[in-house]
Amino acid sequence: MTTWLVASVLAATASAAPSSEAAFAASAAAVSASMSASFKLASWNETDALLDLLRDPDAEVRRQAVRSLKAWVAQRSSTRDRIMDVYRNRNEELAVRREAAKTLSVVSGYTEVYRALLEQAERGSDAGLRAISYKSLYWTASQRSDVRNDLLDAARRESDPAVRRAAIWGLFAAANDNRVQDALEDIARRDHDQNARVEALKSLYGGMGSPSVRGLAYDLARNTAEKADVRRTAILMHANRVQSSQEDLLKDIAARDREPAMRQAAILALGNPRAEEISTYFHLLRRDQNGVLVNDPLDAE
């Protein structure tokens, strides 16, 4: 149910970026109406019961309550405000605050929310909370150029490697933006941090329709001198293929490569591009058999 809401917000707004907070609010309201019909108008008492649990003495109970409220945070501003209070509370357990960041991702189109996430991501004291704050901006980064610019700046200049990779992760839904492509391609080709190179490639998966992204993945995949993790990711990127030359490359690697891990990656990429392993690796938004989005990549973080 939680993931369905996130998917609905994404699906409802994918056709056009909201030009204002009012537009985002209208979109969220439409999602709330649709969700209410699907769940037969869940009682406000149900939401209030979860909100009451935010005061429970057990931190794990509070964390689970915050997680469950992800399904309802878009329905009432008062619910959103309560989750914001949890997120900002320095006396709260970090695990609970990290969960609050993920819940706020659903309403990150609101100015106060994305500014709070950005402030924590850029200036917070805990690396884990900073990282999940950047990741929780993935949808808004795909819609707003100012948020996208902040993530791009962090992807280039952030000094903490894990936080930097989180900013790169947060750009995956904006993979078709030319500036995002240029920055991620540069990181993937020549960055000193191998893990950052892998993360950049993963975030470029949705941009494989671009000749430059496709060429980068092709070059890295066939380069037997390349770092193993980088090359394997480049091979897997070809699951999202648009040209026969990509399939020929996968077949050649699967049949002849000296490295078993590369052969296995090529075989996986030759299979179903919607396979769960591919979707999970590239933190994609998955659809069910009816075409409805059902997976929020933050659930795995």
Side-chain angles (χ1 to χ4, degrees):
M1 182 167 63
T2 298
T3 54
W4 187 87
L5 171 66
V6 179
S8 297
V9 173
L10 289 163
T13 55
S15 59
S19 57
S20 66
E21 187 165 322
F24 179 85
S27 176
V31 170
S32 295
S34 175
M35 193 177 76
S36 294
S38 296
F39 300 135
K40 295 184 170 64
L41 294 172
S43 167
W44 289 131
N45 292 334
E46 194 173 344
T47 307
D48 289 339
L50 291 170
L51 290 170
D52 287 343
L53 289 173
L54 297 180
R55 295 189 291 269
D56 193 274
D58 189 324
E60 180 58 20
V61 170
R62 297 196 302 274
R63 189 188 73 80
Q64 290 292 346
V66 169
R67 181 180 177 88
S68 293
L69 282 164
K70 195 173 189 177
W72 315 112
V73 69
Q75 289 191 311
R76 289 190 295 184
S77 60
S78 58
T79 303
R80 183 172 73 246
D81 291 343
R82 286 290 302 280
I83 301 301
M84 286 278 285
D85 289 343
V86 172
Y87 176 66
R88 288 170 164 158
N89 184 0
R90 295 183 179 180
N91 294 320
E92 181 56 272
E93 294 286 338
L94 284 169
V96 181
R97 294 178 71 190
R98 285 194 290 270
E99 200 67 56
K102 292 192 276 187
T103 291
L104 288 171
S105 69
V106 176
V107 288
S108 60
Y110 290 102
T111 301
E112 65 183 90
V113 176
Y114 73 70
R115 284 181 176 171
L117 289 168
L118 274 174
E119 180 180 3
Q120 186 61 236
E122 293 172 348
R123 291 180 284 278
S125 59
D126 180 76
L129 186 57
R130 293 181 64 206
I132 201 62
S133 297
Y134 271 131
K135 290 182 178 183
S136 295
L137 286 162
Y138 78 87
W139 177 77
T140 304
S142 74
Q143 305 293 309
R144 296 186 60 99
S145 60
D146 54 344
V147 176
R148 190 158 58 245
N149 288 341
D150 285 319
L151 266 71
L152 279 170
D153 187 65
R156 294 186 181 105
R157 299 180 178 85
E158 170 60 45
S159 59
D160 186 297
V163 176
R164 183 181 177 224
R165 291 195 300 272
I168 295 170
W169 188 105
L171 289 165
F172 81 90
N176 287 313
D177 179 271
N178 289 335
R179 292 183 62 243
V180 170
Q181 284 185 13
D182 289 345
L184 295 181
E185 285 179 37
D186 187 62
I187 293 169
R189 281 192 186 278
R190 57 182 61 89
D191 200 85
H192 65 279
D193 182 349
Q194 179 179 331
N195 293 324
R197 295 180 67 200
V198 170
E199 200 63 65
L201 287 172
K202 289 167 70 174
S203 285
L204 282 168
Y205 183 84
M208 281 290 280
S210 164
S212 62
V213 173
R214 198 161 58 246
L216 169 65
Y218 191 92
D219 290 345
L220 294 175
R222 67 178 180 174
N223 183 0
T224 57
E226 185 53 80
K227 297 288 187 181
D229 287 349
V230 173
R231 187 177 178 223
R232 180 178 183 274
T233 302
I235 291 170
L236 290 174
M237 287 177 73
H238 287 81
N240 188 8
R241 54 188 179 274
V242 295
Q243 291 186 343
S244 59
S245 59
Q246 296 172 260
E247 186 168 344
D248 291 341
L249 175 64
L250 292 177
K251 289 178 179 177
D252 185 66
I253 293 172
R256 299 181 179 85
D257 203 90
R258 294 182 178 180
E259 297 295 330
M262 303 307 153
R263 297 184 67 188
Q264 293 164 13
I267 291 168
L268 177 59
L270 278 168
N272 182 2
R274 294 181 178 84
E276 184 173 351
E277 188 172 350
I278 293 290
S279 296
T280 300
Y281 188 73
F282 290 104
H283 39 73
L284 304 179
L285 302 168
R286 292 202 301 271
R287 300 177 184 271
D288 66 13
Q289 64 273 19
N290 298 315
V292 177
L293 290 166
V294 295
N295 181 67
D296 176 10
L298 281 174
D299 289 344
E301 299 301 312

